[in-house]
Amino acid sequence: MRRWLRLIHKVIGLSLGGIFVLIGLSGSVLVYRDAIDERLHPALMLVEPGLGQDFRHVDEIFNAAKSVMPPVAKAERITLPRHSKATASITYVSETDDLDTYVYEIFVDPYTAQVKGQRLKIHGDDQFSQSFIDIMAGFHWTLFLGANRAYIIGGIATGVIFSVLLGYFLWWPVNGNWKLGLKIKWSATSERIIFDTHRTIGFYTGLILLISLLTGVAMIFKPATQAFVSLLAPIHAKIDYGKSKAADGHVPITPGAAAKIADTVFPKGRLHWILLPSSPTGVYVVGKQSADEPSISKTYQNVGIDQYSGEITQIQDRNRSQFGDKFMEWLFPLHTGEFLGEAGRPAYVLLGLAPFILYLTGLSRWLFKRRSRKV
């Protein structure tokens, strides 16, 4: 049985390992996605705050961005600076006469409300028109095959999960001396060193790799994951933030006013973003982040607000969430290592390098055996 399991482990590794190596390396890059993006575009994304300066009002920042938008553009989101030297960003959608959609991102100095510049963020399926980090993210999730084919990545990851589990089974020494699988015998032959390296690295990184793989698969097949989790605990598949009531002749409230209303619900926490109404019946969705949230990319303390009356239409409070919602909230932070904070980022960078080492040592061992059989 071990011989057949070893064969399956080898076939999966040799056939899917190369692709998984590239996925892992791109994942290592994405661990520092925000910092890398800022270093690549400092003129757009970084500022030098003056001593004692405070951020300008949200409405000033938004109005500065609106002043450079095309008249027919539709503003989508205001994202506040993630740290004291970062710019605020406002995304908007612009459509051409042939219905080609472009999404742009405008960067505004939060201390002066001056526009720093803008860039094309999304142009249909042309992923190479995006920034380097967005290109890496597109490759990591879909191999540039498009969101509708992300299931291919899910299938590859599922195969690798099976291979990792087989690797743990095969790791256990036949003679029962498990300590042999936890060290590399550097005085041995090169073939033995390669074998020990493959086995040892696999043991120490396998569990974290499994967590990253399982959470990735769960997010790719999100509807199936939600259906399964809902069997165990209640889960809100999607929050309905309601609609704004018709108010002919009424002027919509400003994003800043919406943020102030959200403060009455969540007085603490950092204002992360404001999703703007997408239609005359759309609502503001104001997201705030608390210090104990595992994610730094999304918000789970959100307030839906009628764009005319300012009435609260819906509240998402992570502190009142049940197990099912908590489970879905933790998928992305577990996959990326965000839940560990800055201290955990280096570990996840190394985790992304582990598939490369495992593939290289596994391939080398296979070539060694192949050559020995020919001799």
Side-chain angles (χ1 to χ4, degrees):
M1 185 180 69
R2 288 181 66 91
R3 185 173 72 248
W4 281 105
L5 294 180
R6 190 178 294 110
L7 176 63
I8 296 172
H9 180 69
K10 179 175 64 177
V11 170
I12 294 175
L14 293 175
S15 60
L16 303 180
I19 300 174
F20 188 59
V21 165
L22 297 177
I23 295 172
L25 293 176
S26 61
S28 290
V29 173
L30 292 173
V31 169
Y32 285 98
R33 58 192 179 279
D34 293 324
I36 293 173
D37 205 15
E38 289 172 352
R39 294 298 181 270
L40 292 176
H41 307 281
L44 288 177
M45 304 183 71
L46 293 174
V47 296
E48 283 296 334
L51 187 63
Q53 274 189 302
D54 294 324
F55 288 167
R56 293 291 187 92
H57 194 274
V58 171
D59 291 336
E60 289 185 72
I61 294 173
F62 180 58
N63 289 334
K66 280 187 67 176
S67 68
V68 300
M69 289 183 195
V72 295
K74 183 185 293 184
E76 283 193 324
R77 175 182 302 175
I78 305 169
T79 304
L80 281 299
R82 69 186 190 94
H83 57 77
S84 62
K85 293 186 177 182
T87 53
S89 68
I90 295 86
T91 56
Y92 70 90
V93 176
S94 179
E95 290 187 353
T96 61
D97 294 336
D98 58 355
L99 300 181
D100 204 5
T101 301
Y102 293 81
V103 179
Y104 289 90
E105 193 172 15
I106 299 174
F107 299 92
V108 180
D109 187 325
Y111 299 99
T112 64
Q114 297 295 313
V115 175
K116 299 274 288 181
Q118 64 177 307
R119 69 180 180 186
L120 178 64
K121 187 168 181 64
I122 302 174
H123 173 208
D125 293 328
D126 182 10
Q127 300 195 52
F128 291 99
S129 66
Q130 304 176 49
S131 66
F132 170 74
I133 289 299
D134 287 327
I135 291 173
M136 285 289 100
F139 176 81
H140 185 74
W141 282 103
T142 69
L143 292 179
F144 298 141
L145 298 175
N148 293 333
R149 295 184 179 89
Y151 64 86
I152 296 175
I153 292 289
I156 293 172
T158 302
V160 175
I161 288 171
F162 186 54
S163 181
V164 173
L165 292 174
L166 285 180
Y168 268 116
F169 179 81
L170 296 170
W171 166 87
W172 189 268
V174 177
N175 60 9
N177 188 2
W178 55 268
K179 291 183 179 180
L180 290 175
L182 300 178
K183 61 183 180 180
I184 301 172
K185 190 175 181 181
W186 296 106
S187 60
T189 63
S190 58
E191 183 179 356
R192 176 58 188 269
I193 291 174
I194 288 172
F195 171 68
D196 284 352
T197 301
H198 184 84
R199 186 170 58 171
T200 304
I201 296 297
F203 175 83
Y204 285 114
T205 64
L207 182 59
I208 307 177
L209 274 175
L210 281 174
I211 292 173
S212 187
L213 285 162
L214 288 168
T215 51
V217 170
M219 288 186 288
I220 287 174
F221 299 114
K222 189 174 180 180
T225 302
Q226 290 174 329
F228 175 76
V229 174
S230 65
L231 297 175
L232 307 174
I235 184 173
H236 297 89
K238 186 176 182 180
I239 302 295
D240 182 4
Y241 289 100
K243 295 182 178 180
S244 295
K245 298 175 182 178
D248 295 337
H250 287 212
V251 178
I253 64 174
T254 65
K260 191 171 182 180
I261 293 169
D263 286 340
T264 64
V265 180
F266 298 116
K268 296 182 180 181
R270 184 184 73 86
L271 178 60
H272 179 63
W273 58 24
I274 303 173
L275 307 184
L276 306 171
S278 58
S279 68
T281 59
V283 298
Y284 284 105
V285 179
V286 181
K288 300 191 71 174
Q289 286 184 333
S290 59
D292 61 343
E293 285 191 54
S295 176
I296 61 173
S297 305
K298 301 179 181 180
T299 58
Y300 291 87
Q301 292 191 152
N302 300 305
V303 183
I305 300 168
D306 188 300
Q307 64 173 301
Y308 303 108
S309 66
E311 293 181 4
I312 294 173
T313 60
Q314 182 62 275
I315 297 173
Q316 181 187 15
D317 186 352
R318 63 181 301 272
N319 294 317
R320 297 180 180 178
S321 298
Q322 300 300 315
F323 170 79
D325 294 316
K326 289 285 189 181
F327 180 88
M328 298 304 297
E329 177 188 352
W330 272 86
L331 287 179
F332 189 75
L334 281 171
H335 184 75
T336 62
E338 288 183 359
F339 74 101
L340 294 171
E342 289 298 323
R345 290 181 187 268
Y348 264 68
V349 170
L350 295 176
L351 179 66
L353 299 176
F356 172 72
I357 299 173
L358 292 172
Y359 181 70
L360 188 63
T361 52
L363 179 63
S364 299
R365 179 165 169 75
W366 176 69
L367 291 174
F368 267 125
K369 287 193 169 184
R370 191 181 180 190
R371 281 196 297 266
S372 64
R373 282 196 298 268
K374 287 183 178 181
V375 174

